[in-house]
Amino acid sequence: MFAKAFRVKSNTVIKGSDRRKLRADISAAFPSLSVEELNELVPNKEELNVVKIYAHKGDAVTLYVLHKNPIFFQLEKQVFPTVYTLWRCPTMVPAFATWPPVLQKLSGGADLMLPGVVVSTSGLPEVDQGDCCAVTLVMNRAPVAVGTAAVSSAKMRNSGMKGKGVNILHAYMDQLWAFGDKTHPPVIPVTNCPAPEEGETDGEECEENEGRDVSKPAAVEASCRSMQELRLDQHEVLEEDKEGEDTDGEEDDSRSPQEQMDELLLQCFLHSLKTKVKKSDLPLLTSTFLSKHMVSCCPRGMQLDIKKSSYKKLSKFLLCMQRDHSLVQVKELSKGVESIVEVDWRNPELCSFRTPKDCGPEKESVEGDGACEVQFQTPEITQLYGVTARLEPLFQDARKRKGTPLKACEVRNVITDYVKKNELIHETNKNYVNINPTLCDCLLEKSEYHEVETLKWDDLFSRTLIRMQACHEVLFPGQPPVVKKGQMESIDITVASRGSNKKVTVIKNLEAFGLDPAVVADSLQHQVQASCVLLDSPGAKNRVLVQIQGNQVQHVGKLLLDRYQIPRKYVQGLEKAPKPGKKK
């Protein structure tokens, strides 16, 4: 289950009621634990953390962490001990012994098969199917894996020790072990030796060997040497796999995502101070420092997200840089607006920082963010006019039936040909057109029947277009044109209030222009460093809203107009951008 890296969802301190419930669950699941052992594993006053994670296969698991070591993990309401706990209480669960070379397979996610189980003189431990059990190595009782029994002990014996024995959930040297302090198994001598096989010594000799093992732990030392060799082999394999990766990749596997984001924040912070910020830029708004300097220093293929760090907010991170590292000085120059007013350019930590090679300039970063958007091309939108039943006589000679969409220039040509064909141009003033019965019925109001005898050319064309049905044509590159009735829907940007005084920016109708709301949301989130979610559009099927925290109309407008080249007339709500306040 923990052969590959898992994702941490939350990390909180356990409540008193949850601590008591955990003690009760552990006491019921493992009755062999004494009161002293239970108090040692789950102390009353020491800090105990609850870490909720998602395994690489999607399983939701709860970890209980004491002194930075996971001591128990809960899966589907069943509590299991970790190897760190079993090294302190090795007899709390039944254990099956196996040979040291099997450990490498177990750490890689394999289950323990019955042919690999070494049966001691006392026989197999008694377990039922699904019971929690451990796996130890020959000559060392320190468990190296935890899992559940695949079948009962009786079925194991009846099957001739063939098939699966233990479903492994957690093993020494997997990612759950790496989440702790990475200590190695202690040496705990065994009290029983393996059962003799055919052609081997009898039980008396085995007893002699057993006495020798207790008094002279040579076999135990040999087992530990085997484990050490396995450990070295495992590390060599890991190093070979990571030769083509970044140098930090080895550390990332052993750290939580939160710790990785903390280190990335510090790296981008030092990088931006050393290469981006100048003395002439001070005082510098903290929001500008993040969006224009720190984000551009983020390594390629990585994304800077303060909410995934332990700081959660930029203000807390900068306070730590000011208080603990003495790198910057932050002041609130105006109400609610913080700025960096001073930078210690001679700080040893800043002077010793080396700029990473994989961090490109800001332009490259932007291109990296929009890698999936490079292929986007703005659709061509053409206003069309549909022939209505009232105007059909005007277009009859041009063989344009009701509902036929036409461009404005095509309508103008049809009307011009009709006027010339019927000789309706005024004799003395060619700027006017005489009204015949057909034009009267199509273009004049009833009150104008006996009053209007001529119309100007422009008036004739405008009256015709007004009385036609509005349509539009959308042409995406490489696709056939799509004609729809009505006006082209604009992208609507609105600012709504949520809660007490919080505002969110909502973007609608991105799909009409061929924009993927998920891609737009990701770009905005990376640009403004604010929470961004996708919501179903009420009253519209297959439509999604993009909602981003705060009034981000200015950033949304810049993204749509500059990057995606959407015509300004098709973007509504740009006037709702926040106006710069007056300095007090």
Side-chain angles (χ1 to χ4, degrees):
M1 171 171 285
F2 303 105
K4 295 182 180 180
F6 51 79
R7 180 169 63 89
V8 177
K9 179 184 177 183
S10 63
N11 187 346
T12 58
V13 179
I14 195 171
K15 299 178 181 178
S17 57
D18 293 336
R19 187 191 296 262
R20 291 190 293 270
K21 183 178 182 302
L22 177 62
R23 289 173 61 91
D25 292 342
I26 295 174
S27 179
F30 310 104
S32 61
L33 285 176
S34 63
V35 178
E36 292 78 11
E37 290 174 328
L38 185 60
N39 290 335
E40 183 181 355
L41 293 176
V42 189
N44 288 325
K45 295 185 179 180
E46 296 184 29
E47 184 174 314
L48 182 66
N49 285 45
V50 180
V51 181
K52 294 185 178 181
I53 66 171
Y54 288 112
H56 68 280
K57 292 186 177 179
D59 299 312
V61 185
T62 302
L63 307 181
Y64 296 95
V65 181
L66 178 68
H67 300 151
K68 297 184 179 181
N69 278 340
I71 55 173
F72 292 95
F73 65 95
Q74 189 172 19
L75 176 66
E76 296 178 354
K77 298 183 179 180
Q78 186 175 357
V79 180
F80 299 92
T82 65
V83 291
Y84 292 109
T85 299
L86 292 176
W87 293 340
R88 298 163 66 180
C89 305
T91 60
M92 65 184 297
V93 295
F96 294 87
T98 188
W99 301 105
V102 180
L103 174 59
Q104 189 173 0
K105 302 294 183 182
L106 301 182
S107 301
D111 294 324
L112 179 64
M113 309 303 290
L114 289 176
V117 175
V118 180
V119 183
S120 65
T121 55
S122 60
L124 290 173
E126 295 297 326
V127 293
D128 292 327
Q129 184 178 4
D131 286 354
C132 179
C133 53
V135 178
T136 63
L137 299 182
V138 174
M139 300 305 175
N140 190 354
R141 287 194 302 125
V144 293
V146 183
T148 58
V151 293
S152 63
S153 300
K155 288 187 177 181
M156 292 181 188
R157 289 187 285 266
N158 294 336
S159 66
M161 298 299 289
K162 295 181 180 179
K164 186 182 294 186
V166 180
N167 297 313
I168 301 299
L169 298 176
H170 157 52
Y172 165 60
M173 291 195 303
D174 66 3
Q175 294 298 319
L176 182 57
W177 167 82
F179 193 69
D181 57 12
K182 300 181 185 179
T183 53
H184 302 298
V187 178
I188 306 177
V190 297
T191 56
N192 294 316
C193 65
E197 297 181 359
E198 293 183 4
E200 293 186 357
T201 57
D202 56 11
E204 293 179 359
E205 293 181 359
C206 184
E207 290 178 3
E208 293 177 3
N209 292 336
E210 180 183 347
R212 235 186 347 254
D213 289 337
V214 174
S215 59
K216 300 177 182 179
V220 175
E221 294 177 359
S223 175
C224 292
R225 283 197 299 271
S226 302
M227 292 178 63
Q228 184 66 24
E229 291 174 1
L230 279 174
R231 240 179 264 145
L232 294 174
D233 293 341
Q234 183 81 354
H235 289 301
E236 289 175 2
V237 172
L238 290 175
E239 289 176 2
E240 291 176 1
D241 292 340
K242 295 178 182 178
E243 282 180 357
E245 297 181 3
D246 297 334
T247 55
D248 295 337
E250 196 170 322
E251 298 179 2
D252 292 343
D253 291 342
S254 61
R255 294 171 301 170
S256 66
Q258 193 176 71
E259 293 173 341
Q260 297 176 32
M261 187 56 65
D262 288 349
E263 183 172 340
L264 180 62
L265 268 177
L266 180 59
Q267 175 185 321
C268 296
F269 176 77
L270 295 173
H271 188 180
S272 58
L273 286 182
K274 195 160 189 175
T275 62
K276 302 287 184 180
V277 181
K278 301 178 183 178
K279 291 184 179 180
S280 58
D281 296 333
L282 302 179
L284 179 64
L285 290 175
T286 56
S287 57
T288 304
F289 174 67
L290 173 64
S291 60
K292 290 189 177 181
H293 300 301
M294 286 185 65
V295 171
S296 64
C297 293
C298 186
R300 299 186 188 96
M302 303 182 71
Q303 183 172 341
L304 195 65
D305 191 348
I306 289 184
K307 292 187 179 295
K308 293 182 181 179
S309 68
S310 61
Y311 303 100
K312 304 301 181 186
K313 293 182 178 180
L314 178 62
S315 57
K316 290 185 178 180
F317 171 73
L318 293 177
L319 179 62
C320 178
M321 295 298 103
Q322 174 177 325
R323 182 185 57 202
D324 300 339
H325 299 262
S326 301
L327 283 163
V328 295
Q329 186 175 356
V330 181
K331 287 186 179 181
E332 189 174 335
L333 299 182
S334 59
K335 188 176 181 181
V337 180
E338 292 184 339
S339 300
I340 299 176
V341 296
E342 187 177 344
V343 177
D344 185 4
W345 307 103
R346 297 183 180 180
N347 187 286
E349 189 173 1
L350 182 60
C351 295
S352 61
F353 178 77
R354 295 292 177 265
T355 304
K357 296 180 180 179
D358 61 342
C359 295
E362 186 173 1
K363 292 183 179 179
E364 294 182 5
S365 175
V366 172
E367 290 176 2
D369 299 336
C372 56
E373 305 164 18
V374 173
Q375 297 180 352
F376 175 80
Q377 294 181 351
T378 308
E380 295 182 10
I381 303 169
T382 305
Q383 181 69 41
L384 300 180
Y385 302 89
V387 178
T388 59
R390 181 178 178 180
L391 298 179
E392 193 171 6
L394 274 177
F395 295 87
Q396 191 172 5
D397 294 341
R399 297 182 181 180
K400 304 296 183 183
R401 296 184 179 180
K402 175 185 175 182
T404 303
L406 301 171
K407 297 180 181 178
C409 60
E410 295 175 335
V411 174
R412 190 181 189 93
N413 292 336
V414 171
I415 298 301
T416 303
D417 292 341
Y418 177 83
V419 171
K420 291 181 178 179
K421 183 178 180 180
N422 291 274
E423 298 179 354
L424 298 178
I425 300 177
H426 198 274
E427 296 80 2
T428 58
N429 191 347
K430 293 184 179 181
N431 291 329
Y432 285 86
V433 175
N434 296 321
I435 301 298
N436 66 354
T438 302
L439 291 177
C440 180
D441 294 337
C442 295
L443 304 180
L444 299 184
E445 302 293 340
K446 290 184 178 180
S447 59
E448 298 175 329
Y449 283 176
H450 303 289
E451 298 178 359
V452 179
E453 295 181 353
T454 58
L455 289 174
K456 286 186 177 182
W457 281 103
D458 291 341
D459 194 11
L460 182 69
F461 294 139
S462 62
R463 284 174 179 256
T464 304
L465 295 177
I466 289 174
R467 284 162 175 76
M468 298 185 74
Q469 183 176 8
C471 304
H472 65 276
E473 178 187 79
V474 183
L475 177 61
F476 291 97
Q479 299 182 17
V482 179
V483 178
K484 297 181 180 180
K485 294 182 179 180
Q487 298 286 350
M488 179 68 183
E489 293 184 66
S490 300
I491 297 177
D492 187 26
I493 306 173
T494 57
V495 179
S497 298
R498 298 286 188 270
S500 57
N501 194 25
K502 295 182 179 179
K503 294 183 179 180
V504 294
T505 304
V506 181
I507 313 168
K508 304 178 183 177
N509 199 37
L510 291 170
E511 298 89 344
F513 293 84
L515 292 171
D516 186 355
V519 174
V520 175
D522 184 66
S523 299
L524 286 172
Q525 184 176 12
H526 188 272
Q527 182 179 352
V528 304
Q529 291 293 303
S531 174
C532 195
V533 296
L534 300 178
L535 304 173
D536 292 333
S537 180
K541 293 183 179 180
N542 302 323
R543 290 291 181 91
V544 177
L545 305 178
V546 176
Q547 178 177 296
I548 186 167
Q549 188 176 6
N551 187 335
Q552 310 294 349
V553 175
Q554 186 175 358
H555 295 284
V556 175
K558 185 177 181 181
L559 180 70
L560 295 176
L561 300 178
D562 296 345
R563 184 183 298 186
Y564 295 119
Q565 300 296 316
I566 303 296
R568 191 180 186 88
K569 64 179 180 179
Y570 294 120
V571 181
Q572 293 183 354
L574 295 176
E575 69 280 357
K576 298 174 185 175
K579 298 179 181 179
K582 297 181 180 179
K583 295 184 179 181
K584 295 182 180 180

